[in-house]
Amino acid sequence: MMKICLDAGHYGEYNRSPAVSEYTEAECMWKLHLLLKSELEKYGVQVILTRTEQARDMSLTERGRRGAGCDLFLSLHSNAVGDGVREDIDYPVAYVAIDGKADEIGLALAQCVEKLMGTEQAARIEKRRGSNGDYYGVLRGAAQVGTMALILEHSFHTNTQMTEWLLIDGNLKRLAAAEAAVIAQYFNLEEEENMLRYERLSDIPDNWDKEGDPRATIEKLMNAGILNGDGSDRSGNDDIVDLSHDMVRTLILEYRGGAFDRALIAAGFEPAVEIS
Ligand SMILES: [Zn+2]
């Protein structure tokens, strides 16, 4: 089983934003790492956290060493430049271990943050060497136990717009889902929920409607390009449709009423209703 160690940058109310005073890096990243844990668990990943209490500090290298036996150590942060507000600096960066192991996933995660947060400058990765291996303590600790490691900076809390964005819980949830998807893709994981529910059309029951065949109808609408999957099938095979029974019922009723007939005929398919 895949195992990932998540580390929330800082503790308590550490690193208050000079731009938006209610924001602290420590509190925001604590929330984000819990959300990311839940999202990763959907892929069957075992997630461990470096700390169990938000207000409790732990040394940097010790946090890194908590990643022992994990496939990835990921420390979550928002960045700062100088002491005051700097609206002109706005980019995500992954500080990756100097061993280069995390270069690829680090860039993919930083680019994912760039896309979601809409940062002004491009995502990047950086490495920093200290006198004794990695400059950053968490990366040094993780390297000591042989775990691939990176620090992900979610742009800058010295930038007003980015800080305000990070204060919205819905945005953190979207970030967590997107980052989990990047990690899953990197490790070739499939969402367990998907495997159970979203095999192509399997969520549409076979004999749900005695009068007709809902599956055949939905299949026909998909083949005609009228109904599209949601693009969430990461295996690159058939796209996935995720329809509730009510939505299937509505689609079937519309189909029978001829709502899609023009489009079906245009796509070279039989219409539902004979047109005289
Ligand atoms: Zn930080």
Side-chain angles (χ1 to χ4, degrees), residues 10 15 25 77-78:
H10 321 286
N15 286 349
E25 181 186 354
H77 296 254
S78 57

Side-chain angles (χ1 to χ4, degrees), residues 7-17 20-36 51 53-56 63 76-78 154 157 163 166-169 172-173 175:
D7 175 58
H10 321 286
Y11 71 102
E13 297 182 354
Y14 206 83
N15 286 349
R16 187 169 297 280
S17 162
V20 187
S21 64
E22 69 208 85
Y23 179 94
T24 70
E25 181 186 354
E27 290 168 307
C28 183
M29 293 303 128
W30 184 265
K31 268 192 207 171
L32 180 60
H33 96 311
L34 294 180
L35 291 167
L36 182 54
R51 297 175 298 135
E53 289 163 66
Q54 198 273 345
R56 201 180 118 214
R63 274 154 59 191
L76 303 178
H77 296 254
S78 57
H154 296 78
H157 58 254
T163 309
L166 286 168
L167 274 170
I168 297 168
D169 286 345
L172 295 184
K173 208 165 183 308
L175 259 184

Side-chain angles (χ1 to χ4, degrees), residues 57-70:
D57 195 15
M58 184 186 285
S59 87
L60 293 169
T61 47
E62 176 54 27
R63 274 154 59 191
R65 280 195 296 270
R66 294 273 161 128
C70 291

Side-chain angles (χ1 to χ4, degrees), residues 1-271:
M1 189 193 244
M2 274 275 310
K3 204 169 154 188
I4 291 179
C5 182
L6 295 181
D7 175 58
H10 321 286
Y11 71 102
E13 297 182 354
Y14 206 83
N15 286 349
R16 187 169 297 280
S17 162
V20 187
S21 64
E22 69 208 85
Y23 179 94
T24 70
E25 181 186 354
E27 290 168 307
C28 183
M29 293 303 128
W30 184 265
K31 268 192 207 171
L32 180 60
H33 96 311
L34 294 180
L35 291 167
L36 182 54
K37 178 178 189 283
S38 322
E39 293 294 334
L40 285 168
E41 284 167 349
K42 291 183 186 170
Y43 294 92
V45 175
Q46 187 191 346
V47 179
I48 61 165
L49 308 174
T50 51
R51 297 175 298 135
T52 50
E53 289 163 66
Q54 198 273 345
R56 201 180 118 214
D57 195 15
M58 184 186 285
S59 87
L60 293 169
T61 47
E62 176 54 27
R63 274 154 59 191
R65 280 195 296 270
R66 294 273 161 128
C70 291
D71 300 279
L72 175 67
F73 174 92
L74 176 57
S75 186
L76 303 178
H77 296 254
S78 57
N79 219 335
V81 54
D83 295 325
V85 178
R86 281 291 297 270
E87 309 292 20
D88 57 326
I89 298 186
D90 174 21
Y91 61 86
V93 55
Y95 293 107
V96 292
I98 54 173
D99 61 19
K101 284 184 199 164
D103 287 10
E104 188 188 334
I105 190 167
L107 184 61
L109 283 168
Q111 284 171 337
C112 160
V113 173
E114 176 191 342
K115 196 171 149 203
L116 247 88
M117 294 185 74
T119 60
E120 202 63 45
Q121 291 112 35
R124 61 203 71 178
I125 58 171
E126 283 175 24
K127 291 190 182 81
R128 196 164 165 195
R129 189 179 292 276
S131 53
N132 193 17
D134 273 291
Y135 169 82
Y136 296 103
V138 288
L139 300 185
R140 199 162 60 243
Q144 283 167 8
V145 293
T147 299
M148 171 165 75
L150 68 115
I151 293 168
L152 186 59
E153 299 279 359
H154 296 78
S155 191
F156 287 75
H157 58 254
T158 43
N159 178 297
T160 306
Q161 202 186 327
M162 290 300 112
T163 309
E164 280 171 349
W165 193 94
L166 286 168
L167 274 170
I168 297 168
D169 286 345
N171 287 340
L172 295 184
K173 208 165 183 308
R174 284 168 59 216
L175 259 184
E179 288 174 13
V182 167
I183 292 168
Q185 192 173 29
Y186 179 84
F187 289 106
N188 286 315
L189 305 174
E190 274 188 68
E191 202 171 345
E192 287 189 333
E193 202 181 334
N194 267 348
M195 292 194 283
L196 292 173
R197 286 187 61 209
Y198 302 160
E199 239 178 285
R200 183 175 159 102
L201 305 179
S202 66
D203 49 342
I204 300 164
D206 261 328
N207 283 316
W208 174 70
D209 183 344
K210 288 178 190 127
E211 296 296 311
D213 182 351
R215 274 193 195 214
T217 303
I218 299 297
E219 184 97 41
K220 184 174 173 181
L221 294 175
M222 286 187 82
N223 289 336
I226 293 165
L227 180 65
N228 291 305
D230 63 1
S232 62
D233 185 352
R234 295 179 189 86
S235 65
N237 298 319
D238 290 321
D239 238 346
I240 290 162
V241 286
D242 176 21
L243 301 171
S244 68
H245 288 192
D246 280 348
M247 285 168 75
V248 173
R249 184 180 282 119
T250 305
L251 279 168
I252 301 295
L253 288 173
E254 286 177 337
Y255 169 80
R256 287 195 195 148
F260 306 114
D261 280 355
R262 275 170 186 276
L264 283 168
I265 291 165
F269 287 79
E270 287 287 309

